Amino acid sequence: MTSKTTMALSRFAASVSKHGGAFPVNAIRRSRPGLQFFTPQRRNFSNGAKMTIGVPKEVKVHEYRVGMVPGSVKELTSKGHRVLVETNAGAGIGFFDADYEAAGADIVPTAADAWGANMVVKVKEPTANEFGFLRSDLTLFTYLHLAAERELARALCDSGCTSIAYETVTDAWGRLPLLAPMSEVAGRLSTQVGAHFLQKAYGGSGVLLGGVPGVAPGDVTIIGGGISGMNAAQMALGLGANVTILDRAVDQLRHIENVFGFRVNKVFSTTAAIHEHVTKADLVIGAVLIPGSAAPKLVTREMIAGMRPGSVAVDIAIDQGGCFETSRPTTHSEPTYECEGVVHYCVTNMPGAVARSSCLALNNVTLPWVSAMAEFGPIPVLKTKEHFLHGLNTANGHVTYKAVAESLGLPYENPVSALDSVRSAGFTIEKAPSAHKATA
């Protein structure tokens, strides 16, 4: 590796560290069995742009987030990259076409134009209507949650697309830096929506979580003490509720005590403990995560049936299949349903409810990686950044994340082997998508 390239990647590593996706700089120089290191080169195209990045409009119901905000676009265009933004992609949260044009983007009229780029940056996984845009020379960077999406996993494999999932990228400490912001948002929202649907007018039991003098506060049970669970607890405590967190990691329970002191009841999670605390809760929040895998069904139908009628169950883990036996996906347009007398809120894109805040938080952690892939190419970055390689879910027709393969019963391919056979990694562009100037 040349000294110039090493210096460039070292600067990139420092940038990632600053933005919350940290790992040691010397990781780019370390070898490990089966991982071939080589010198990444900045790519140049005949049309003068280094790389073309597409930002299509999200199509899920009431999904107003967008893969890149104008500030992120400016970072790329200032380095000579071309960014194609589908018209009105960010309009729902106040990022208008004129804002993107001012940042140097080209506004394109259709989703097909944006998907025609070398790399596509999104928020949510492609829907069935978007499967036709997938192709072998495309790099897709977005949330995927494939453990609960067999049809999508097959579509990605059939297309040969190189797909990198935000939710499985790690850092040097084993954390999930690209999932963390949305976990924070979902955790805080879970208490907020739970309190809302406890109101009698919305099918709830009529309990005020904070109570009033002379009336006991409501009981909130949170299953899982990670980022989502702790943020849910923070909001519930702010409302004045009685809060219990269940987790199987004793060290995490100690951490929760260090953060919240004795204001939170901390319980080691067992089947018996879950049954006890779920059945007496006014609001139960499922915040369980096994990276890349389907969520375990920790709350049974019997437990839900044992809750007081009108109680509320919020399943943050629904993206990974849900951790309640009675959970099924819902949307922002029809967010709840009743099962066993309990109001269930299982919206698969919860952070979309506060789309502007969520979008800005997400861009803060994804931009360093988008910039690196634009400068050096997705495959070189994947091959030189071990923690980023954990984000690779499919490549060259194979599932490359073991937990996803096991959850779906599909064959698993070592990610390094799969990358070795990727043809162009999204660096072939025969015809640039059309662009037009849109009015504000």
Side-chain angles (χ1 to χ4, degrees), residues 3 53 70 77 79 122 161 229 239 297 315 366 382:
S3 60
I53 299 98
T77 58
K79 296 176 183 177
K122 280 176 47 64
C161 169
L239 290 173
K297 304 294 185 185
D315 196 343
T366 57
L382 285 163

Side-chain angles (χ1 to χ4, degrees), residues 304 311-315 324-328 330 334-347:
I304 292 291
S311 297
V312 175
V314 178
D315 196 343
F324 304 156
E325 196 173 58
T326 50
S327 293
R328 57 178 173 81
T330 62
E334 296 183 21
T336 64
Y337 60 92
E338 184 180 307
C339 181
E340 302 291 350
V342 173
V343 178
H344 286 60
Y345 180 97
C346 304
V347 175

Side-chain angles (χ1 to χ4, degrees), residues 153-202:
R154 288 199 177 277
L156 290 168
C157 289
D158 289 345
S159 72
C161 169
T162 300
S163 67
I164 305 166
Y166 296 154
E167 71 272 11
T168 59
V169 173
T170 63
D171 63 15
W173 296 274
R175 300 175 303 193
L176 304 170
L178 306 193
L179 182 63
M182 297 305 98
S183 297
E184 292 167 341
V185 171
R188 296 184 183 203
L189 271 177
S190 65
T191 301
Q192 186 172 308
V193 299
H196 176 80
F197 286 107
L198 275 171
Q199 297 177 67
K200 194 64 181 175
Y202 300 102

Side-chain angles (χ1 to χ4, degrees), residues 269-424:
S269 182
T270 63
T271 301
I274 292 173
H275 185 279
E276 175 187 351
H277 292 281
V278 165
T279 52
K280 71 179 185 181
D282 297 294
L283 168 61
V284 59
I285 296 170
V288 177
L289 173 68
I290 300 176
S293 296
K297 304 294 185 185
L298 298 180
V299 178
T300 66
R301 179 177 292 273
E302 179 188 1
M303 295 177 192
I304 292 291
M307 298 176 72
R308 181 191 344 201
S311 297
V312 175
V314 178
D315 196 343
I316 298 175
I318 192 64
D319 268 344
Q320 297 291 110
C323 61
F324 304 156
E325 196 173 58
T326 50
S327 293
R328 57 178 173 81
T330 62
T331 66
H332 287 296
S333 60
E334 296 183 21
T336 64
Y337 60 92
E338 184 180 307
C339 181
E340 302 291 350
V342 173
V343 178
H344 286 60
Y345 180 97
C346 304
V347 175
T348 55
N349 59 330
M350 281 182 65
V354 286
R356 187 178 176 95
S357 296
S358 297
C359 188
L360 291 167
L362 180 60
N363 270 238
N364 288 343
V365 295
T366 57
L367 177 59
W369 292 114
V370 175
S371 296
M373 288 191 286
E375 285 293 298
F376 302 106
I379 304 308
V381 174
L382 285 163
K383 283 196 169 187
T384 55
K385 303 297 179 184
E386 179 178 354
H387 302 291
F388 191 57
L389 183 62
H390 294 161
L392 186 69
N393 275 215
T394 69
N396 197 39
H398 303 286
V399 175
T400 55
Y401 195 82
K402 195 168 186 178
V404 168
E406 290 175 349
S407 293
L408 299 178
L410 296 175
Y412 165 73
E413 177 75 13
N414 181 282
V416 177
S417 301
L419 287 178
D420 285 340
S421 56
V422 173
R423 178 172 59 85
S424 62

